[in-house]
Amino acid sequence: MGKFMDKLNLREYFEKREHDIYRPCAAFSDETRGRERKEDKCDIRTDYQRDRDRVIHSKSFRRMKHKTQVFLAPGGDHYRTRLTHTLEVSQIARTIARALRLNEDLTEAIALGHDLGHTPFGHAGERALSKCSTIPFYHNEQSVRVVEKLEKEGRGLNLTWEVRDGILNHKTSGKPSTLEGCIVRISDKIAYVNHDIDDGIRAGILTESSLPVVCTELLGHSTRDRINNLIHALVSYSQDKDIIALPKDYEEALSELRSFMFKDLYTNPLAKSEEVKAERVIGMLYDEYMSHIDKMPEEYIERIELGEPKEVIVCDYIAGMTDNYAEERAKELFIPRAWQH
């Protein structure tokens, strides 16, 4: 086996195979714009495969299992977390990329990394940091900051340009530079709209019959059917085009379903009743660390001493927390020990 490996560079084989399999509009591994810091190539994996693996092995990826998707501390084991959401986006995006003969490894790397910068307590945490800081906080920008500066004790993951571009531009308003990034952008929406419906039904806030009929008649009457139909529609419509898009009627139906979710679930008093408290916790933590940087870990204090803006570093620290860790820090800082029993 050793002699065989000496003669065969598997990475070069996989790079060549990409050109044989993928469409000309794909992002090819051997044509990447590269990394900020040059590295020796791996003899087994392409650059995008290495990026995917680096994301999976990162601490920020593992922390997503204890970060809120929609429901804060839900009373059940089957509600989505930020990590399970990410895995569902990855599955949908990989399916689409393979069907369209685009780079599945790049697509997966972007999908797995797109939410690494999310705060504890979901979008409530994101809103709270934006209110506290003079610098607006956006989770997509923070995700890029995580992979460029925060992971690996400040060295970052040194990902390729294409992966970082896809992470930065995964929001609805984003404009990814690759078709693979466009796949993740729309897969994110397909995933969260549909799995949030499923969680909303599980919580007793929504019912299948409460969804807009004009949407369900076209997209389907279950989470499974809607995801399946949206994927098929997108693949069929984008098959021979250098764009990633849904047919107009499907795009409008998904957009209307998303608007319905914002009105009936994301801002529903029952689902969001605890978010005001969560925002207050984030605000209190922010004020405390801004006034007492010595209460943060040494690595964050050092970065402030080296000249990085204090409010940016405080946001880094809080955004990296899991829900559980933020709760623990709040108890430690603001609640007398005698009251914690």
Side-chain angles (χ1 to χ4, degrees):
M1 182 65 179
K3 291 182 179 179
F4 173 77
M5 288 298 294
D6 289 341
K7 295 179 181 178
L8 179 64
N9 184 307
L10 290 176
R11 172 184 51 79
E12 292 179 356
Y13 167 77
F14 290 132
E15 288 173 345
K16 180 180 182 300
R17 192 176 68 170
E18 287 182 358
H19 287 276
D20 294 335
I21 296 173
Y22 297 155
R23 293 158 59 197
C25 55
F28 296 100
S29 299
D30 59 355
E31 296 176 358
T32 174
R33 294 195 192 183
R35 309 179 187 279
E36 288 191 330
R37 300 188 303 275
K38 287 188 177 181
E39 300 179 6
D40 292 335
K41 297 281 188 179
C42 177
D43 60 350
I44 296 177
R45 297 167 297 165
T46 68
D47 283 348
Y48 298 147
Q49 288 174 325
R50 293 182 82 184
D51 285 358
R52 173 202 60 203
D53 296 348
R54 289 179 184 187
V55 169
I56 289 175
H57 288 283
S58 68
K59 291 187 292 186
S60 51
F61 184 80
R62 294 194 293 275
R63 289 198 299 269
M64 288 194 293
K65 68 181 177 180
H66 292 304
K67 292 194 177 190
T68 292
Q69 172 62 21
V70 172
F71 292 94
L72 284 169
D77 294 331
H78 298 143
Y79 290 89
R80 271 74 172 186
T81 65
R82 188 61 57 183
L83 179 60
T84 59
H85 159 72
T86 293
L87 295 176
E88 291 184 37
V89 173
S90 177
Q91 178 272 313
I92 292 170
R94 289 197 331 265
T95 298
I96 294 169
R98 182 176 296 185
L100 293 177
R101 293 188 295 121
L102 296 172
N103 198 314
E104 189 175 344
D105 294 324
L106 172 58
T107 304
E108 186 176 22
I110 296 169
L112 292 173
H114 82 280
D115 269 356
L116 292 177
H118 247 297
T119 60
F121 312 130
H123 288 283
E126 186 173 10
R127 288 194 302 269
L129 285 182
S130 281
K131 291 176 183 177
C132 294
S133 174
T134 61
I135 305 171
F137 183 93
Y138 300 107
H139 77 270
N140 59 316
E141 294 178 1
Q142 187 69 14
S143 294
V144 174
R145 184 166 170 80
V146 166
V147 301
E148 288 185 344
K149 299 182 181 297
L150 302 183
E151 275 288 338
K152 299 290 185 182
E153 290 75 43
R155 299 189 304 276
L157 301 180
N158 200 28
L159 305 182
T160 56
W161 182 89
E162 291 80 6
V163 173
R164 289 180 283 126
D165 172 80
I167 291 173
L168 178 64
N169 289 288
H170 78 268
K171 292 175 67 175
T172 299
S173 58
K175 295 182 179 179
S177 299
T178 64
L179 293 182
E180 289 80 2
C182 294
I183 288 174
V184 174
R185 175 178 169 273
I186 197 166
S187 297
D188 185 34
K189 188 185 298 185
I190 291 172
Y192 75 69
V193 167
N194 286 289
H195 67 48
D196 290 353
I197 289 173
D198 188 45
D199 281 354
I201 291 173
R202 180 172 290 107
I205 296 173
L206 302 176
T207 63
E208 185 65 37
S209 61
S210 69
L211 304 180
V213 174
V214 67
C215 298
T216 56
E217 285 185 347
L218 178 65
L219 302 181
H221 297 280
S222 69
T223 298
R224 174 188 179 277
D225 287 345
R226 283 187 289 272
I227 291 175
N228 186 57
N229 289 333
L230 283 163
I231 291 173
H232 276 80
L234 187 146
V235 169
S236 178
Y237 187 75
S238 307
Q239 192 73 55
D240 299 316
K241 302 181 178 71
D242 290 351
I243 60 169
I244 304 299
L246 287 163
K248 186 176 181 181
D249 53 345
Y250 280 82
E251 182 180 5
E252 290 175 348
L254 180 60
S255 180
E256 183 165 344
L257 199 55
R258 181 172 177 265
S259 297
F260 166 83
M261 293 295 288
F262 271 94
K263 179 173 64 73
D264 284 46
L265 180 65
Y266 300 142
T267 58
N268 181 285
L270 182 58
K272 302 287 102 174
S273 58
E274 298 295 288
E275 282 199 353
V276 173
K277 299 175 186 176
E279 289 189 36
R280 287 175 182 163
V281 168
I282 295 294
M284 291 167 64
L285 289 173
Y286 180 88
D287 291 341
E288 185 71 12
Y289 293 130
M290 284 293 289
S291 301
H292 306 281
I293 64 170
D294 58 295
K295 294 183 179 180
M296 292 192 296
E298 188 63 32
E299 62 187 279
Y300 294 91
I301 298 172
E302 289 176 356
R303 285 163 49 202
I304 293 173
E305 292 174 345
L306 288 171
E308 293 193 58
K310 181 166 65 172
E311 59 183 336
V312 171
I313 303 306
V314 170
C315 284
D316 286 343
Y317 181 43
I318 295 174
M321 294 179 178
T322 62
D323 293 14
N324 299 339
Y325 189 75
E327 292 167 13
E328 290 172 7
R329 296 287 71 75
K331 288 179 181 177
E332 175 189 317
L333 292 169
F334 308 126
I335 299 178
R337 290 181 182 178
W339 295 4
Q340 296 180 28
H341 300 292

